[in-house]
Amino acid sequence: NNILFLHRMSNTSKSTDNAPHMEKGWHALRQHVIDNKIKVGLWVTRLFTIIFTVGYIIPIFGNIYNIYYKVLMSSAATSALRLHQRVPRVQLNRQFLEHLFLEDSFHYLFYSLIFLYAAPVTLVLTPIFLFALIHFASYSLTLLDCLGQNSWWGARLFINLIEFQSRNILRLCALSEIINLPLTVLLVFTGRAGLLTPLIYYQFLKLRLASQRNPSTRNVFHELRNGLSSISTKPSVPDIVRRMIEGLLSLTQQMVPVRQ
């Protein structure tokens, strides 16, 4: 038995030695880019989203008004490319549309188009920028692995920091999505958005609350509703504030799918 065991170990060792090693370096990176054109394309469009957002917040080049809309367009390009990746075949039936509406990439394509026709507002860029940052960092790690495990350690450290904070980043995205609903109403009253913008955004938020891949918006929305509900029950709260909170809770009651 011992001889048989040693023989098997010897064969395993030989097969391991004979196995081809994964090539690392610029050639491996180039081959990865060729083999994964759509993923790399998503990485590039997300990079543009990040660059344009920074350029809008810190106006170091170009007209910030134009840069704002470039952020939205690069985000729309990312969402369209991701949607093509997730739903490659278009079908004209109800099942296809139901599947399409569940895709997060469709939600943010819709989001970008909504604000493409409204005046620039910094808060609108928050979820776009943060989602781009998370996914850009994640795929950057894959690209760095093509160069070698020990390459660009500073970039790896920054990426690990982003991934460590990913849960908080997603919650911040969710909070900004929710806050943007009353913001769109305010934009209408200030003449910076059309009358239909809040109604259209309301539909976007309903899609986000029904998202199957990312429950962050739904969870944060429940937390906000529970927090407002507990505030309204306090005796120290004025009646007018209590009625406003109760009206808001009643208005938003049907927005969230029932938790299983």
Side-chain angles (χ1 to χ4, degrees):
N1 291 336
N2 290 337
I3 294 174
L4 181 60
F5 174 76
L6 291 173
H7 178 68
R8 288 177 178 173
M9 289 294 293
S10 176
N11 289 339
T12 303
S13 177
K14 288 178 181 179
S15 63
T16 303
D17 293 338
N18 293 332
H21 294 285
M22 291 294 293
E23 185 181 359
K24 301 293 183 181
W26 291 105
H27 178 74
L29 178 62
R30 178 175 174 273
Q31 189 61 44
H32 178 86
V33 171
I34 294 172
D35 295 338
N36 300 273
K37 293 183 179 66
I38 293 181
K39 291 181 179 180
V40 175
L42 288 167
W43 182 81
V44 171
T45 55
R46 285 164 179 154
L47 175 60
F48 279 124
T49 300
I50 294 169
I51 292 173
F52 288 141
T53 304
V54 173
Y56 174 74
I57 296 173
I58 307 174
I60 54 178
F61 54 86
N63 186 321
I64 61 170
Y65 188 84
N66 293 333
I67 292 174
Y68 176 86
Y69 292 106
K70 287 180 180 179
V71 177
L72 294 175
M73 286 187 287
S74 61
S75 175
T78 301
S79 299
L81 197 56
R82 177 61 175 157
L83 192 60
H84 170 71
Q85 188 183 42
R86 293 278 303 169
V87 190
R89 300 184 65 180
V90 177
Q91 300 176 4
L92 299 178
N93 54 50
R94 181 178 177 181
Q95 290 77 12
F96 172 79
L97 291 177
E98 289 176 350
H99 178 56
L100 186 70
F101 291 157
L102 291 175
E103 289 293 332
D104 289 358
S105 50
F106 173 79
H107 301 168
Y108 266 88
L109 177 59
F110 189 28
Y111 180 93
S112 300
L113 294 177
I114 291 171
F115 291 105
L116 202 57
Y117 299 98
V121 180
T122 304
L123 185 62
V124 169
L125 302 183
T126 302
I128 288 177
F129 171 75
L130 293 177
F131 275 125
L133 185 64
I134 290 176
H135 293 295
F136 175 82
S138 178
Y139 197 70
S140 293
L141 197 59
T142 301
L143 297 178
L144 289 175
D145 286 341
C146 293
L147 295 175
Q149 293 293 334
N150 297 322
S151 60
W152 294 61
W153 63 269
R156 290 178 182 274
L157 182 63
F158 180 68
I159 291 170
N160 289 333
L161 178 62
I162 293 174
E163 291 186 338
F164 180 73
Q165 294 294 331
S166 60
R167 186 173 181 273
N168 292 330
I169 293 174
L170 289 175
R171 287 178 60 83
L172 183 57
C173 290
L175 183 61
S176 62
E177 289 172 357
I178 296 167
I179 293 175
N180 278 337
L181 180 59
L183 176 65
T184 57
V185 177
L186 182 62
L187 290 177
V188 171
F189 283 108
T190 57
R192 302 177 67 186
L195 291 173
L196 294 178
T197 302
L199 298 176
I200 298 173
Y201 190 84
Y202 176 82
Q203 298 302 320
F204 162 80
L205 187 56
K206 286 182 67 176
L207 291 174
R208 296 302 297 149
L209 292 170
S211 174
Q212 296 180 349
R213 293 172 61 86
N214 181 10
S216 299
T217 306
R218 187 163 56 251
N219 293 339
V220 171
F221 195 77
H222 275 295
E223 291 172 11
L224 290 175
R225 280 178 50 84
N226 292 338
L228 288 173
S229 180
S230 62
I231 290 174
S232 66
T233 58
K234 293 181 178 180
S236 59
V237 176
D239 288 339
I240 185 171
V241 176
R242 182 179 293 106
R243 285 195 294 268
M244 289 176 62
I245 293 175
E246 290 174 351
L248 181 61
L249 293 175
S250 177
L251 181 65
T252 58
Q253 186 174 4
Q254 302 300 323
M255 290 183 65
V256 186
V258 179
R259 284 182 165 179
Q260 301 296 327

